Amino acid sequence: MPRLDASARGVFIIAATPFTEDGRLDLAATDRLIEFYLEQGVDGMTILGMMGEAPKLTEEEARTFALHVLGRVDARVPVVVGVSAPGFASMRALGSVVMDAGAAGLMVQPPAVSARGDDAVLGYCRMVAETLGEATPWVLQDFPLVASVPMSALLIQRIVAACPNAVMLKHEDWPGLDKLSAVRDAEAEGARRISILTGNGGIFLPFELARGADGAMTGFAYPEMLVEVCRLFARGESEAMLDLFDRYLPLVRYEQQPGLGLAVRKYVLWRRGALACPATRDPAPKLTEASRAELDWLMRRLERSLEHQRKESVA
Amino acid sequence: MPRLDASARGVFIIAATPFTEDGRLDLAATDRLIEFYLEQGVDGMTILGMMGEAPKLTEEEARTFALHVLGRVDARVPVVVGVSAPGFASMRALGSVVMDAGAAGLMVQPPAVSARGDDAVLGYCRMVAETLGEATPWVLQDFPLVASVPMSALLIQRIVAACPNAVMLKHEDWPGLDKLSAVRDAEAEGARRISILTGNGGIFLPFELARGADGAMTGFAYPEMLVEVCRLFARGESEAMLDLFDRYLPLVRYEQQPGLGLAVRKYVLWRRGALACPATRDPAPKLTEASRAELDWLMRRLERSLEHQRKESVA
Amino acid sequence: MPRLDASARGVFIIAATPFTEDGRLDLAATDRLIEFYLEQGVDGMTILGMMGEAPKLTEEEARTFALHVLGRVDARVPVVVGVSAPGFASMRALGSVVMDAGAAGLMVQPPAVSARGDDAVLGYCRMVAETLGEATPWVLQDFPLVASVPMSALLIQRIVAACPNAVMLKHEDWPGLDKLSAVRDAEAEGARRISILTGNGGIFLPFELARGADGAMTGFAYPEMLVEVCRLFARGESEAMLDLFDRYLPLVRYEQQPGLGLAVRKYVLWRRGALACPATRDPAPKLTEASRAELDWLMRRLERSLEHQRKESVA
Amino acid sequence: MPRLDASARGVFIIAATPFTEDGRLDLAATDRLIEFYLEQGVDGMTILGMMGEAPKLTEEEARTFALHVLGRVDARVPVVVGVSAPGFASMRALGSVVMDAGAAGLMVQPPAVSARGDDAVLGYCRMVAETLGEATPWVLQDFPLVASVPMSALLIQRIVAACPNAVMLKHEDWPGLDKLSAVRDAEAEGARRISILTGNGGIFLPFELARGADGAMTGFAYPEMLVEVCRLFARGESEAMLDLFDRYLPLVRYEQQPGLGLAVRKYVLWRRGALACPATRDPAPKLTEASRAELDWLMRRLERSLEHQRKESVA
C-alpha cells in the first residue's frame, strides 16, 4: 500500500469501532461497516480515532481491530491509524505493527498534559516524529475543543518545518476557517505544503474546502454527503454543493454534540443498517428515548427532502 | 414594570452593544437597534450579557448604557440586565441602579475561579441571591462552554431550592437536551418550577422547546426566526417549525463560533440595517474579508430561500 | 495477602518505576528499590501511580512490572496498584491480573473527560466499583491539580455511600485541609469511615494527620521522614514532629513541582543509591545542570542538619 | 516619581487591600499597612494585584484606593498598579488616572479568554502596549496557575521585542526555574534585558535569585524575610540566605494555598498588627478555626526559631 503523503485528498472516513451489545469487539460487524463506507465512495479510512473509541480498547484489542481492518480493506483505500497515547512506548508499539501490516500512516493529537505552550507542543511533535521514524508519515491532529491544546497557524508551520514526516493536518479547531487560510497563506510564501483534511463532523466543510482544505476526515453517519460535497466543490458547483450540504445540516448539527455525538453516529449508522448494534463502551453518555425520537424525526425529514430533490431533478 | 417571574416565556433577545467605528458607545445606534428588535416581535430583552460585550465596558459605560436602554424600551417589554462580575460590590452597584430604573431582573453566570465543584457553585449562588436581595429576581446562566462551570440538573435543583429569587435558567449547556428534560422531570416530582430560556444562538431551539423550554434567550441576528419558531411550536406545528428553522440553520451554525460569533452577529445586524456600525471592542477576533464574503453568500441564499417559500405559499 | 480495608494507616510509598538509561523497564533495579523502601519502614506500597509513570508503560509492561513487584514484595506489606485508564476494559484487565497475584487493592482517579460535574463523577465511580467487582477494594484518588476533577467533601460522601468497595481516599487536593476535616466531620455524623492517606509529596502531612488523615501515600524521596512523622504524631509529639518535618521541607518543596517533580524524585533516589538510574521516560521534563546543582546543595544541607541534630541529641 | 524601568530590583511587596469587618475599604488601615511595609524595607509596592483583591473592587473603589496609596507613599518608593481587566476601556481609564498621580508603572496579566496560544498572547500584549501608551512602562505578569495562560521563554522574548514599554516580568510560573534561566540566556544572546521579579509567595526565591531574578514581587506576610534574602544573596552569602529562608519556609508553604492564601496572609498581617482587620471580600474562602490554630502554631514556632537564632548570633 502506498504511504500517505501531502497529496492526499477527498474523504477519509473516521470509522466507528463496532461492539456487541455486551461490549465486545465485533469483527463481523466491522466487515459490514467497512463495506458500507467503501460503497459510499470514501477515499480513505481512519481508525482508532477518538470517534473509534480508541482509548477504551485494551492495547491487544486495538491491535486486533487494526489488523482486522487492514486485512479487510486490503489496500482498496489508504488506512490511517490513530496512535495517540500518553506514552511513546504504546505509540511506537501499535504504530510499528500497523505500518508493517500496510497502514498508510498514523495520526497523533498532542496531549495537554505534555504540551503546554507552543514550544512544548513543538517539542512533543519532534519526539513523535522521531518515535514513529522518518519513513512513517503521520497526521497532526488539531482538536482543541477536546484536547485543550491550542495551535496557531504559526505553530503548525513550525511543526511542519521540524517534522518532515508530518504530511497532513487533521484540522478541527473551532472557529477554524481563518486559521486554515493562514496555513495555506504561509505555504504560498514558501512553507512546505501539507494535506489538510477537516473534522468536526463536517459542519463547516463547504467553507473549509473554499479556504483550501483537501477534503474531510470525520465520521458523519452519511459519508455519501461528505463525498458528494467534495465532488461538487471540485467541479466548481458551489451553489449545488451548499444545496446538498444544507439538507444534511440538521443532522450534522445534531451529531455535533461533544461526548454524545458518538452515540448519535452509531445510532444513525445502525438505523441505516451499517452497524449491527449501536452500543458504545462505558464510560460514555447514552442516547435517551427522547434523543432517539428526535433522530428518527430528523432522519425521516432528510429522506423526505432527498426524495423531493430526486423528483425535482427528474422533472 | 413588572418583575421577572417563573412564568416568563418567548424570546428574550440578547441585545448587542453598539459602538462607533472608533470604539465609543453609540446611544443613537442603540435606539435604532432597540426598535429593530421590538419590530421583530421579541418578548423581552437582555442587555450586558456576554454578547453585549459587557466585560469590555467600564462600569460607568455599563450604567449609562443600561439606563439608556431602560428609558428607550420604556416598559414595552421586560429588560433583563447581566450583572456578572468578579466581585459582589460591582454586581450590587449595577444591579441596584438598574432595578431602580425598571429592569425586570438580573442575570448572573457563576465564575470558575469562585465556584469549583457543586458545593462551591451552590455557595456562590447563595451569596448572589443575598447580594441582589430577595425582592430582586435573577436568571441563573449556565454556559459551561465559556464559563467552565459544569452544572448538573441536580445542582440546578439545589440552587433553585436555596435561592427563591432565582426564577429563570438561561440554559446553554452543550449537549444540553437531556439535562433540560431532567430539570423538568425534577419539577414534575415536586421541585419549584422555573422559567427556562435557551441560548447557544438557538442552534437546538426546536428540540429545546419540545423538551420543555419556555423560549429562547439568545442573540441570533434574525430574531424573527426565533419568534416564529416559538409561535409555531406553541401551535403544535412541528414540521412547519423545523421547515422554517432549517432555512436559517446555515447562518445559525456560522454565527455559533466561539469568540468570533459576536463579530458575525454584528456584521449581519449591520448588513440588515439594524446596526449603524459592526465594530466590536478589542480584544476581540475580527471578521476577515473571506468571512464577510461567506456571510454575504449565506445571507443571499437565505433571502432566496425565503423568497421561494413566499412564492410557494402564495401558489 | 489480606485485602485493603478502611483501617489502613501509615505510609504507603508511591514507588517509582525504574528504567534503564535507554528507557527499558529495569526489574533488577526494581528489586533494589523495593528493598530500599522496606528498609525505610514503609507500611505499604503503591505502584503504577502517576509518579510510577504508569501511563507511559505499555499494558504488557504494566502487567510485567506489577507482577514482578508483587512477587518481590511477597506479602511483606500490602501493595496497591493504580489502574486508572481511559477505558474500563484496560482497567478490568490489569485489575483482575494483579488482584489474582496478591495485590491488596486498586487505585482510580476519575478523568475529567468522563466526569464533568458531581453527578458525572459519582456515575463514573459507580461504574468503577462495578467494573472492579464488589470483592475488590479500591482507593479513590482525588488529585484535582493534575486531573482537573474537583470533588467536594459532600461528593466524596456520596461516592463512599454508593460504592461499598471504596475503602480509602488518596487525598491530594490543594488547599485540602478543611476538606479533609469535612470528610471526617461527616463520618462523625454517620457516614461510613474510610481510610485517608494524603499525597502532594507530603508537603502538608503534619497538619493532615492532625485533621484526621491516617497517613501518607506519596513518593517523597526520603520515605523515612514520612514514616517518622507518622510515628511522632501517633505518640503525640507534635513539636518534635514539626522539628523533623521542617528539616526536610526545603526538599519536599523542591520536589513539589508539577511535571518536574518526578525527575527530582528519581534524581534524589539515585543519589541515595536507591535507584540504578534516574531516567524518566519521554515525554517528560528533564533536570538541567542547574537543577541538579540545586538539589545537590539541598541534599548537603539536609545531611548537615541531620548531623547537627544527631550531635545535639547525643549531647 | 521616576518611572519603572528594566533596572528595577529588590522587593516590590504586593500590598493587601484592607477592608473593615463589614466589607468597606479601610483607608485608615491602609495608611498603617503602608508604613508597616516601608518599615520592613521594601523597595517598591504593587497594589491592585490579585492579592489586592482588585477584581472585587468597583472601579471607583479601585481608583480611590490607588490614589490614596499613591498619596500616602508620596514617592518614598515606586508604586506599580495592577490594571488587568476584561476590557481595554477599564484598563486605560484606571491606568491613565494612576500614572497621572505618580504611579511608577502598571501590571497586566493576559487573560485566557482573550489569549489562547502564543500568537494570541502576543497579539493581546501588543494591544496592551498600545492601550497604555508608549510612555507608560508595564509589567507582564506570567501566572499560569491562576490565569491558565502558558508563556514559554520564547514567547516572553517575542513580547519583549514587540512591546518596548514592557520593562519587567512578574515571573510566577511553577515550575519556573529553568524558564527564568532561559529568559536570561536569551538576553545573553542579544534580547533586550528586562527586570524579573518573582512571585508565588517567594517559595522559590533563593533559587530564582541564583537563576537571574532581580528580586521578588509577592505578598508574603513577613516582607522582612524577602528583603533580607535579597540582601544576603547580593552579598554572596548563600548559606546564610538559605538558613534564614528555611526558617520562614513553613509559613511560606502554608500561605501558598491557591484561593485560601490571601486569607492566610491577611490573618498573619493582622496578628502582626499590620492590618486592623483580616477580612477578605466575598466570594472568598475563609479561614476555619483549625486553620487559625495551625497558623498560630507556625507563628509561635517561627518566633522561637528567630529568638534561638538571635541568641546564637550573640553567643
Side-chain angles (χ1 to χ4, degrees), chain A residues 211 239 243 294 297 301, chain B residues 211 239 243 294 297 301:
Chain A
R211 299 291 190 114
E239 295 292 340
D243 288 345
E294 287 159 355
W297 187 18
R301 285 180 54 89
Chain B
R211 300 290 190 114
E239 295 292 342
D243 288 345
E294 285 160 355
W297 186 18
R301 285 180 55 88

Side-chain angles (χ1 to χ4, degrees), chain C residues 211 239 243 294 297 301, chain D residues 211 239 243 294 297 301:
Chain C
R211 300 290 189 113
E239 295 291 342
D243 288 345
E294 285 159 356
W297 186 19
R301 285 180 56 88
Chain D
R211 299 290 191 114
E239 295 291 341
D243 289 345
E294 287 159 356
W297 187 19
R301 285 180 55 88

